[in-house]
Amino acid sequence: MGIPVSECLLKLMAEGYTLDDYRGDIPPRWCTGCGDNGILAAVQRLCRDEQLPPERTVFVSGIGCSSRFPHYMNAYGFHGLHGRALPVAEGIKLRRPDLHVFVSTGDGDCCSIGAAHWIHAIRYNMDMTVLLHDNQIYGLTKKQASPTSPRGVKSNTTPRGTYLDPLNPLSVTLGVANVSFVAQAADWIPELLYDIISEAYHHKGFSFVRILQRCPEFMPHQFDPWVQNPDKMLLLTHEKGVQLSAGLSKVYRKQEAHDPGDLHRAREIASLSEQIPVGILYRDSDVPCYEDVRMVDRLHTPDVIKGVLEEEFDKFTIWPSE
Amino acid sequence: MNGNLSKLTSFHVTGIKPALEAEDAGERSFRPALFAGYGDLTKLRYDYPVVLVESAAGSKFAQSLSDIVDGILREIAPQGAAGERLRKHVLKLEEELRGLVSQKNGASLLDLWDAAEKSLLTRTEKAARDLLRDSLGRARNALHVDGEVLDCDEATPTRFITRGWNVVQAAKIHAVKKRIEHLVLKLSDILRADYMKTEEARSAEIFRASVGTAYDEAFDFSAMSGILAKERAGDLLPDSRRQRVQAALTILQAQRFHAPLHDFEQTVVRQPLYDFVFDSCAAALEAFRGRLPEMVEVIKAMSIAELEIQNLYRESRHEPFFERFDEGALGPDDLALFPSYLICLRGERIDPAEAGRIFELLNSDLPAKILVQTDDLLRNLSLSAGQTSSVGGLELGTMALGLNKAFVLQATNASLYKQREQIVNGLRRDGPALFSVFSGAMPRVAGVTPYLLAGAAEESRAFPVFAYDPAASPDWALRFRIDDNPQAEADWPVHRMMYEDRDFQGTSETVAFTFVDFALCDGRHGADRVPVARSDWHDDMIPVVEHLDLAEGHAPDKIPYVLMVDENDRLQRVVVDDKLIRAARRCGAMWHSLQELGGINNSHARQLLDREREVWEQEKGEQLAKLAKRAEPAGVASPAAAAPPPAAPVETTIEVEEAAAEAPSDEPYIETPRCTTCNECTELNSKLFAYDENMQAYIADPDAGPYRQLVEAAESCQVSIIHPGKPRNPNEPNLDELLERAAPFN
């Protein structure tokens, strides 16, 4: 049941947003050549193409290069604590399910200090788009190893090289209960980056996109073998996933028709080491969202809020007469 | 022809009652023979009594006592012998309850249940009492519903439909009320946010009041106010916007169509809510028209609120629109936001003016739900030729079909419970709906309960059951249903009747139940029938149903009779006059029309089928003739079916064919869709390289920089998508070297 008059008016009077409407006042302060610039451009394109009202869109981040993201968007933003982007985003979504919630987080923010929140956020499956900017290094603090740094990377904290195999954000996410959307993108294939973020935005649930992001400053040439040799990339296509344009198909010839409903194959693809898979690994639209499960049929009117608060205060009030 | 037979023939034709030699003196009461099996309904399990369940949703608003008891037994009584005692006891209680309902119609289920339990226990011998008490206690614990208990009588249709309407209304309105309260809350938030920017909101008094008395010594509220008042709080709302928001808020809070869900901080005094139940179309229409201006205001306020909340209200564009917004602008979707109007009418009291208004409503978009209850179905039967009658419930139902706009349900008291989903369906629809119900509570019909009579009206096609939902589908096949009638495929339903003959031997006979049987239940038609003594039975007497099958006027010597039972349940042949036969023919014709609409024996379909069959037979005949001609052995071997190609192996990795390499261009260019927005080139020369509307780079002006910059950009581009082409200025220094560096990128 709608409000036809105003809906019709909204349609008639809708004002078109341009990409500039989503650009913040501050020009991005990421290094030249940084993959974050491409992610920002893709997200701004998405906002424009979906005509998301800036006042109904929120970008939440933790700490790191990636987490400067909200500053560069003209929308609501919350630049939070290290590792705590997801709990903040969950709070926003629970209280204001009408907002479009995006989370920008990095490999340090999400997979190290924020790992516990990450695991449970997947399980909660709240409707938000999560972009993991994975440059495999702590860049903002000038090069310390992160959980996704390849084995042997020398950094300030690992002068003799890292000793452990990196954590694979895709296979970790695919292993958690209630996982509903997992994709991988690479910042150097912008067309597909946009398509994948768009699919993630349209998925109702916790859409997790790991974006391989080049850091020209502290991890230069890390992705060069893949950037320079498209045959080392494996593009996942499917009628239920993303489809490639003719131009892209010409450059990236290694493709696999992968059904995003196939969890087992998704896990195999996530574990590939030589090739980098790009596309939608897994999608299940039937997983319930926590905000829907916990939805209360009650408006938070001032009276309701006051009543609940009074009730809580009364539990601690000492009544002189008793 | 013996004397009595000729008298009967004369009666059949003229309707003048003969004095038969063997006839008993005095008027005797007869019932249709098939009624013999139904005496005291309280001993039978059927759809009544019905419980109008409190706080139920959808079609669950009504549940029959039998269904409730079955549910309880399924829950508490194990299958087989173990549950036998429980089943026996609980069914006994159900029977007791049925008896009580007929005395205390309208009482609550729990009250009746307790009363039945008590009376059953007092009547039971002491020894058996404990077990009975245990069974009934367990059943009582498993009883989870309560509500008014309805028996089948004159008041049933109104109470049944009204309860359904209440339930549907409550569910529908809940969503709207929530929407309105959401708007009220958001509008209040806008005003509150604005208020917080005012000096008053930052005054020391307000701060003091917000902290309370316990700690007011601990703060210097004036200082706090002084500091906060200096802070720039942002602009206040323009007056026009504040007034607009306030006006919309006032209208939404004061509207009288929906009761509020919560206790809001009401800033307006609300008048009593509107009533939506009426007993005449005139009153409902008048109320609707009187409320129209207020409805327009509410819709306007809701629309303005929606726009304001989303911050999309533009005075220049929206003001002219809302100034012109009036009753004409309300569409069906807008009307759907308001409660529907329930109008309960009695078919006998509908005068021509009211009938006109019924059609006016049914032909509109107004949410009018009209119940027309008919009690006397045979009223028109007693009119003599030349007399006219006003339109009653029976006619209204079929006439409303022609409007093609309203939902129509025709049913009787006996099938109301079965039709509860259709009833809810009709009540939920946005537009008008007509519920035409025959109650069975016919005046001057003694000894037959309304339930039985209502059922008989359905059986005899006197009041067929049908549902018509024009919104269900564009096809009649899905819009119109008559399958709930007994034996809908047949002209008249037939039943097997078992009885004992004069030699006390069990025998049976197939008996049809026709309109004549139904009409004869009515005492007014005593004059239209003559019971015939067995000695007068004759071969020329044929059952009514056979007489109806004969074309009119084709069997002047045949006398139609029906089988009836007298007060001692003795089977009798009763001869009827031609007036009833004519009425039965009319009723049969009406039923045939309905059958055709419902897709049974449709004449158009039959004609089409005949034509198709003819064409098919002709084609087949021609084919056969051809085959016969070519009877000589042809020896044509049919070509072997091509073997299906072997399934292609599933290859997961696809190698895409390499496309022909494009000829290198002399012009510099960028593969823009592959640009990663890394700023390398634009930092080099932002006039030469620029971003497009997608923030991806292209050559904005190839002459805005030297060839050297194009080459440098190509070298620094990490995804190698910049192609410098050939130099445009042949005099640029170091061209040879630059061309060499550019070669890998062209």
Side-chain angles (χ1 to χ4, degrees):
Chain A
M1 187 181 303
I3 318 288
V5 176
S6 61
E7 252 169 38
C8 141
L9 283 175
L10 286 180
K11 270 187 197 152
L12 285 176
M13 308 295 181
E15 289 166 9
Y17 295 108
T18 65
L19 195 135
D20 276 350
D21 291 322
Y22 299 100
R23 291 163 78 161
D25 294 339
I26 317 165
R29 286 181 190 156
W30 289 311
C31 308
T32 302
C34 172
D36 282 336
N37 291 300
I39 301 173
L40 180 69
V43 169
Q44 286 170 341
R45 267 179 74 189
L46 175 85
C47 289
R48 178 202 60 196
D49 293 350
E50 298 297 334
Q51 289 291 300
L52 304 185
E55 71 273 16
R56 290 182 164 259
T57 311
V58 194
F59 287 84
V60 185
S61 66
I63 294 295
C65 287
S66 64
S67 300
R68 300 199 52 78
F69 205 94
H71 296 273
Y72 309 140
M73 290 297 300
N74 178 34
Y76 280 110
F78 197 114
H79 189 170
L81 294 179
H82 200 11
R84 272 67 186 171
L86 289 168
V88 170
E90 285 162 347
I92 293 170
K93 192 70 194 175
L94 200 60
R95 186 66 185 83
R96 287 292 303 274
D98 56 317
L99 300 183
H100 307 284
V101 179
F102 290 83
V103 177
S104 275
T105 179
D107 40 314
D109 196 49
C110 175
C111 307
S112 179
I113 189 172
H117 298 307
W118 170 37
I119 303 293
H120 290 286
I122 300 166
R123 195 166 67 96
Y124 276 45
N125 191 40
M126 298 183 72
D127 187 16
M128 57 181 73
T129 307
V130 180
L131 309 176
L132 169 63
H133 303 225
D134 189 356
N135 58 2
Q136 308 185 338
I137 201 77
Y138 285 86
L140 192 74
T141 47
K142 307 205 188 299
K143 199 171 188 180
Q144 292 81 29
S146 91
T148 62
S149 300
R151 191 167 178 171
V153 164
K154 289 187 178 167
S155 72
N156 295 335
T157 44
T158 54
R160 295 192 185 88
T162 56
Y163 298 102
L164 299 176
D165 279 335
L167 177 148
N168 182 338
L170 294 178
S171 46
V172 170
T173 310
L174 285 168
V176 179
N178 288 340
V179 59
S180 75
F181 185 101
V182 181
Q184 177 154 274
D187 81 70
W188 61 91
I189 317 179
E191 193 180 322
L192 213 46
L193 172 68
Y194 171 83
D195 287 347
I196 290 168
I197 294 178
S198 170
E199 291 287 328
Y201 164 75
H202 285 289
H203 170 75
K204 182 162 170 27
F206 187 86
S207 323
F208 181 80
V209 186
R210 180 208 195 188
I211 305 170
L212 297 169
Q213 174 229 327
R214 291 159 304 151
C215 174
E217 199 61 34
F218 300 111
M219 293 290 271
H221 312 301
Q222 168 62 23
F223 290 112
D224 277 2
W226 291 275
V227 175
Q228 284 156 13
N229 181 7
D231 280 355
K232 280 177 76 84
M233 306 291 290
L234 176 65
L235 269 57
L236 308 175
T237 63
H238 197 268
E239 55 184 2
K240 293 184 205 153
V242 284
Q243 279 117 43
L244 305 183
S245 67
L248 212 57
S249 263
K250 217 158 50 182
V251 180
Y252 295 97
R253 295 174 305 171
K254 298 281 184 193
Q255 298 168 17
E256 176 176 335
H258 167 63
D259 180 355
D262 185 349
L263 182 59
H264 291 293
R265 181 62 193 147
R267 285 176 175 153
E268 284 170 13
I269 293 171
S271 311
L272 294 175
S273 53
E274 277 304 302
Q275 280 182 310
I276 290 182
V278 169
I280 295 170
L281 279 86
Y282 184 64
R283 166 156 52 195
D284 179 359
S285 308
D286 295 332
V287 181
C289 294
Y290 187 72
E291 69 268 30
D292 295 338
V293 174
R294 298 283 295 127
M295 177 119 101
V296 284
D297 188 25
R298 172 170 85 172
L299 277 177
H300 293 104
T301 65
D303 292 331
V304 169
I305 293 168
K306 202 174 160 192
V308 171
L309 282 178
E310 291 290 358
E311 214 173 278
E312 288 304 310
F313 291 151
D314 282 351
K315 291 179 188 167
F316 301 98
T317 306
I318 298 159
W319 301 101
S321 57
E322 287 175 12
Chain B
M1 190 182 278
N2 66 32
N4 275 350
L5 186 67
S6 80
K7 282 182 191 165
L8 285 173
T9 309
S10 152
F11 159 72
H12 168 62
V13 179
T14 62
I16 300 166
K17 245 183 162 176
L20 294 184
E21 286 140 22
E23 199 194 356
D24 297 359
E27 194 61 42
R28 290 168 49 191
S29 120
F30 288 100
R31 290 176 292 139
L34 286 169
F35 280 12
Y38 308 97
D40 182 5
L41 288 186
T42 59
K43 303 278 181 228
L44 300 176
R45 301 192 86 209
Y46 63 114
D47 286 349
Y48 283 92
V50 162
V51 183
L52 299 181
V53 179
E54 283 164 10
S55 66
S59 57
K60 293 256 186 250
F61 77 90
Q63 289 175 34
S64 80
L65 182 63
S66 301
D67 284 353
I68 293 173
V69 168
D70 287 347
I72 290 175
L73 287 177
R74 267 197 302 277
E75 193 181 323
I76 62 168
Q79 290 203 329
E84 203 48 44
R85 188 249 303 172
L86 275 168
R87 271 192 288 276
K88 210 171 126 193
H89 285 165
V90 176
L91 289 175
K92 223 169 169 181
L93 179 89
E94 185 190 332
E95 194 183 319
E96 185 75 22
L97 237 157
R98 269 178 213 285
L100 283 179
V101 173
S102 52
Q103 298 154 27
K104 288 190 208 167
N105 198 3
S108 83
L109 176 63
L110 289 186
D111 289 348
L112 283 171
W113 190 284
D114 292 341
E117 194 174 323
K118 208 170 148 192
S119 90
L120 205 56
L121 282 170
T122 38
R123 277 192 285 114
T124 308
E125 287 170 25
K126 216 170 180 186
R129 209 175 282 162
D130 285 346
L131 274 181
L132 181 65
R133 184 175 286 123
D134 169 68
S135 303
L136 298 186
R138 282 157 74 175
R140 179 73 168 75
N141 285 339
L143 174 67
H144 306 303
V145 293
D146 190 22
E148 187 186 354
V149 185
L150 281 194
D151 205 359
C152 183
D153 60 21
E154 191 184 340
T156 309
T158 309
R159 284 156 82 179
F160 197 91
I161 302 266
T162 306
R163 174 55 70 91
W165 179 81
N166 276 325
V167 169
V168 169
Q169 210 61 10
K172 176 185 155 187
I173 293 309
H174 183 78
V176 183
K177 287 199 280 197
K178 253 181 80 176
R179 186 81 213 128
I180 290 184
E181 296 215 343
H182 172 80
L183 296 178
V184 167
L185 189 62
K186 292 285 172 184
L187 289 182
S188 310
D189 282 351
I190 294 177
L191 292 179
R192 180 142 191 86
D194 188 46
Y195 171 73
M196 294 310 285
K197 292 177 187 168
T198 61
E199 278 186 21
E200 187 192 334
R202 291 150 185 252
S203 67
E205 290 70 40
I206 294 284
F207 291 145
R208 190 185 306 280
S210 66
V211 169
T213 50
Y215 297 100
D216 62 348
E217 296 301 317
F219 294 96
D220 182 348
F221 294 109
S222 305
M224 192 189 270
S225 173
I227 293 167
L228 288 174
K230 267 186 243 154
E231 284 295 309
R232 188 177 166 271
D235 297 330
L236 289 176
L237 290 183
D239 279 346
S240 61
R241 186 172 181 205
R242 190 182 315 109
Q243 280 159 13
R244 188 165 55 239
V245 170
Q246 184 62 62
L249 188 60
T250 309
I251 289 169
L252 292 182
Q253 284 191 317
Q255 60 88 17
R256 300 163 65 186
F257 297 96
H258 315 99
L261 287 173
H262 304 100
D263 290 332
F264 260 99
E265 280 176 51
Q266 284 278 340
T267 51
V268 292
V269 182
R270 190 198 287 271
Q271 303 288 314
L273 287 174
Y274 285 129
D275 193 14
F276 290 91
V277 184
F278 296 88
D279 58 4
S280 82
C281 292
L285 263 171
E286 193 190 334
F288 178 81
R289 289 186 180 135
R291 295 167 193 178
L292 256 180
E294 202 176 324
M295 287 162 74
V296 171
E297 285 305 308
V298 171
I299 291 289
K300 218 158 110 175
M302 287 176 82
S303 309
I304 290 175
E306 285 279 330
L307 290 167
E308 281 292 357
I309 288 165
Q310 298 192 46
N311 197 17
L312 289 173
Y313 194 98
R314 301 286 174 272
E315 281 182 9
S316 58
R317 296 182 198 167
H318 293 125
E319 214 106 286
F321 174 83
F322 283 114
E323 267 167 26
R324 283 198 304 273
F325 193 89
D326 60 7
E327 293 160 15
L330 290 185
D333 291 340
D334 299 313
L335 293 178
L337 294 175
F338 298 95
S340 60
Y341 290 68
L342 178 66
I343 305 157
C344 300
L345 305 171
R346 286 304 185 92
E348 292 73 23
R349 293 179 216 151
I350 295 174
D351 58 21
E354 184 74 352
R357 278 189 289 266
I358 292 178
F359 285 109
E360 189 184 340
L361 281 170
L362 293 179
N363 201 27
S364 69
D365 286 328
L366 308 189
K369 310 292 171 191
I370 306 174
L371 163 67
V372 176
Q373 177 177 336
T374 305
D375 298 320
D376 188 359
L377 202 51
L378 299 170
R379 192 169 48 128
N380 292 351
L381 202 59
S382 42
L383 297 175
S384 59
Q387 276 183 303
T388 58
S389 71
S390 60
V391 170
L394 178 64
E395 295 82 13
L396 273 175
T398 40
M399 284 167 82
L401 292 182
L403 294 175
N404 212 20
K405 205 160 185 184
F407 175 96
V408 184
L409 173 73
Q410 180 164 298
T412 72
N413 237 348
S415 58
L416 269 188
Y417 181 63
K418 265 195 228 88
Q419 297 297 329
R420 59 195 187 281
E421 269 180 34
Q422 287 291 0
I423 291 173
V424 167
N425 189 14
L427 290 168
R428 269 192 191 141
R429 274 186 85 239
D430 290 342
L434 173 73
F435 302 93
S436 174
V437 182
F438 170 57
S439 71
M442 258 164 79
R444 274 171 294 188
V445 175
V448 185
T449 62
Y451 178 79
L452 212 50
L453 208 57
E458 272 176 36
E459 288 268 343
S460 65
R461 320 297 193 204
F463 204 85
V465 177
F466 63 80
Y468 178 66
D469 185 357
S473 148
D475 303 329
W476 268 82
L478 294 175
R479 289 171 160 206
F480 189 69
R481 285 172 53 103
I482 58 161
D483 4 345
D484 289 335
N485 286 287
Q487 301 173 30
E489 304 275 332
D491 287 351
W492 310 100
V494 290
H495 298 276
R496 195 107 199 120
M497 188 175 71
M498 317 274 284
Y499 61 95
E500 218 171 53
D501 64 13
R502 287 200 297 178
D503 305 323
F504 305 107
Q505 297 301 309
T507 181
S508 72
E509 196 171 328
T510 304
V511 182
F513 196 85
T514 65
F515 178 79
V516 176
D517 296 82
F518 173 71
L520 289 179
C521 300
D522 186 349
R524 279 174 296 187
H525 300 295
D528 299 320
R529 60 166 165 77
V530 174
V532 184
R534 197 174 177 83
S535 57
D536 290 334
W537 287 11
H538 191 273
D539 286 348
D540 276 343
M541 288 165 69
I542 56 170
V544 160
V545 66
E546 283 177 29
H547 199 270
L548 290 172
D549 280 345
L550 300 168
E552 203 162 354
H554 264 65
D557 51 339
K558 302 283 185 199
I559 310 170
Y561 73 87
V562 290
L563 288 175
M564 300 191 85
V565 289
D566 62 14
E567 46 291 74
N568 299 320
D569 281 351
R570 274 195 315 243
L571 207 54
Q572 304 276 341
R573 276 186 185 185
V574 174
V575 169
V576 292
D577 66 5
D578 196 43
K579 184 176 148 195
L580 279 184
I581 295 292
R582 270 182 281 134
R585 282 187 196 281
R586 275 201 303 279
C587 172
M590 190 68 206
W591 169 242
H592 280 164
S593 313
L594 285 178
Q595 274 185 321
E596 287 211 33
L597 290 178
I600 298 171
N601 298 326
N602 186 288
S603 49
H604 293 294
R606 262 206 323 263
Q607 280 177 10
L608 184 65
L609 198 65
D610 289 346
R611 278 205 304 275
E612 290 291 317
R613 185 180 292 130
E614 209 170 288
V615 170
W616 184 81
E617 275 170 0
Q618 198 178 342
E619 275 175 10
K620 279 283 152 202
E622 282 168 12
Q623 276 178 1
L624 279 174
K626 269 187 201 165
L627 282 175
K629 259 189 192 172
R630 293 189 302 177
E632 300 93 66
V636 183
S638 64
V650 181
E651 277 181 22
T652 49
T653 307
I654 304 159
E655 286 279 350
V656 177
E657 286 295 315
E658 189 140 10
E662 283 169 21
S665 165
D666 285 352
E667 288 292 313
Y669 73 100
I670 296 181
E671 294 171 58
T672 304
R674 292 183 57 205
C675 167
T676 65
T677 325
C678 72
N679 301 342
E680 291 272 13
C681 59
T682 51
E683 298 253 311
L684 201 64
N685 182 340
S686 62
K687 291 207 172 72
L688 179 56
F689 305 101
Y691 284 132
D692 67 2
E693 74 282 0
N694 288 338
M695 283 293 284
Q696 290 181 303
Y698 67 105
I699 309 273
D701 179 3
D703 297 321
Y707 188 62
R708 180 180 49 79
Q709 283 187 334
L710 277 167
V711 175
E712 281 172 5
E715 285 171 338
S716 62
C717 176
Q718 295 183 37
V719 283
S720 312
I721 55 166
I722 301 178
H723 307 279
K726 295 277 184 295
R728 298 166 74 86
N729 174 8
N731 300 326
E732 195 175 318
N734 300 330
L735 265 192
D736 287 345
E737 183 219 330
L738 289 174
L739 275 169
E740 204 176 310
R741 282 165 61 189
F745 302 106
N746 275 325

